Amino acid sequence: MNMYISVFRIRFINNLQYRAVSFGAILTRFLWVLMEVLAYSALYHTGNNTFPMKLSQTISYIWMQQTLIVLFAVVFSDGEIYSTIESGSIAYELVRPMNLYGRWFCESAANRITFTILNCLPSLLLALIMPKPYRMCMPLGMAQFLLFLLSTVLALCVVVSFAMLMYISMFYILSQRGIKIIVTAFTSFLSGGIIPLPFFPAPILAIVKLLPFAAMQNMPLIIYSGTVKGTATLKGVAFQLFWLVVLFVIGQFIMRRTLKKVIVQGG
C-alpha cells in the first residue's frame, strides 16, 4: 500500500499549484448555484407543493452538489492517462513494479480530491452566509453528517471505478473525445448532477435507482439534505458498497485481459 499512498501524495501535492484555476472555478460555480437556486425558488413558489423535496432540502442539495462537483465528476483532468495510452508511453507504465489499475486509481482519486479541497472551503463559506431561504442548511445531527461523509467516500470510489472502465476503453478506440462526451452526459444526468433524482418520474426513477449512477453523487447529496433518513440511509450506503465492489472487480478483470493483448508502436 505504501506505493499507492506515495502516488496519491505526489499527485495531490502537484495539483495544489493550480490556485488561479481554482479561483475561477469557484466564481463560476457560485454564479451557477445562484442561478439554480433562484430558478428552483421561483418553481416552488408557483407550484402546488407536490415536490418530492422541500425547498430547503433542494437548496442544500444544489449547494453541496456544486461544492463537491469535481469530486463526483467521472470525466475530469485525467489527460495524463489518456496521453499515456495514445502516445505509447504505456510501455513504461507496464514495467513499473506496481499494479497499473491501482496506480491509475490513486492518481485519479488524488486529482479529484485536490481540486475539491481547494474549492470546498470558499464554496461552503458562501453557502452558509447567504440570506435565507438561499442558505445551505446544516445536517440535523452528527449521525447524519457522519453517514454523509461515509457515503461521499464511497461515491468517490464508485466514480473512480467507473472512470477506470472509461480509461480501459481507450485501448480499443482511436479518439477519446467521443467516449468522454457520452460518459459525461450519461453520468451527469443519471447521477443527479443536472436534476436531483427524486424529481424524476416514478417509472424512470425505479430503473435509475438500480444503476451504478445512483450510487455516485445522488446518495451523499440526498443524505446530506435529509431527503432519506433512518434505515433508508443505511440501505443507500450498502447499495454504494455493492456497486463499488462490482465495478472494481470488473475493472480489474478487464484490465488484465486488455494488457495481455496491448500492442505498443506495432511491437
Side-chain angles (χ1 to χ4, degrees):
M1 287 299 298
N2 289 334
M3 291 189 298
Y4 301 117
I5 293 174
S6 298
V7 169
F8 181 92
R9 185 173 64 248
I10 292 170
R11 182 52 57 94
F12 183 87
I13 294 173
N14 182 61
N15 287 333
L16 288 175
Q17 303 175 42
Y18 302 101
R19 297 181 180 86
V21 175
S22 299
F23 177 76
I26 291 170
L27 180 61
T28 301
R29 290 196 188 98
F30 172 72
L31 296 176
W32 182 265
V33 170
L34 188 60
M35 181 184 67
E36 279 196 276
V37 167
L38 292 175
Y40 273 103
S41 297
L43 184 64
Y44 271 81
H45 285 102
T46 58
N48 53 3
N49 296 323
T50 59
F51 299 103
M53 300 169 63
K54 298 179 182 178
L55 177 59
S56 60
Q57 293 176 334
T58 304
I59 290 177
S60 296
Y61 182 105
I62 294 171
W63 273 112
M64 188 55 68
Q65 191 267 334
Q66 288 297 318
T67 299
L68 303 178
I69 188 171
V70 172
L71 197 70
F72 301 139
V74 175
V75 180
F76 173 77
S77 188
D78 293 317
E80 184 177 336
I81 295 177
Y82 304 135
S83 176
T84 297
I85 299 173
E86 292 179 350
S87 65
S89 58
I90 184 68
Y92 299 104
E93 300 289 339
L94 295 178
V95 298
R96 296 179 186 271
M98 64 188 308
N99 181 271
L100 183 61
Y101 186 97
R103 176 182 172 84
W104 283 359
F105 192 100
C106 292
E107 289 182 353
S108 185
N111 286 340
R112 289 161 174 78
I113 293 175
T114 305
F115 286 100
T116 298
I117 290 177
L118 290 174
N119 299 338
C120 185
L121 293 180
S123 299
L124 287 177
L125 179 62
L126 292 172
L128 294 174
I129 65 175
M130 290 289 290
K132 292 184 177 181
Y134 310 121
R135 183 186 307 166
M136 183 178 70
C137 298
M138 297 298 292
L140 298 178
M142 182 57 66
Q144 180 184 352
F145 181 71
L146 293 177
L147 284 171
F148 161 71
L149 292 180
L150 175 60
S151 181
T152 300
V153 173
L154 291 175
L156 170 63
C157 294
V158 172
V159 165
V160 176
S161 297
F162 194 89
M164 289 298 298
L165 297 179
M166 180 180 64
Y167 304 151
I168 297 171
S169 71
M170 300 297 177
F171 286 101
Y172 300 96
I173 58 180
L174 297 177
S175 174
Q176 56 176 279
R177 182 178 180 184
I179 190 68
K180 289 170 65 175
I181 292 174
I182 294 172
V183 170
T184 300
F186 268 89
T187 56
S188 298
F189 183 71
L190 296 178
S191 66
I194 299 176
I195 302 173
L197 292 193
F199 284 84
F200 280 35
I204 299 177
L205 181 60
I207 298 175
V208 174
K209 287 173 65 175
L210 301 177
L211 302 177
F213 311 110
M216 296 180 184
Q217 60 180 304
N218 165 72
M219 192 54 61
L221 294 180
I222 61 177
I223 290 175
Y224 182 88
S225 63
T227 306
V228 294
K229 299 177 181 178
T231 57
T233 303
L234 298 178
K235 291 179 180 178
V237 172
F239 174 75
Q240 288 181 288
L241 187 59
F242 166 78
W243 273 114
L244 172 59
V245 173
V246 170
L247 292 174
F248 188 83
V249 171
I250 293 175
Q252 287 274 21
F253 175 77
I254 298 177
M255 175 70 86
R256 286 195 296 268
R257 292 288 299 271
T258 301
L259 293 181
K260 289 179 181 179
K261 302 177 181 180
V262 66
I263 297 175
V264 179
Q265 299 294 338

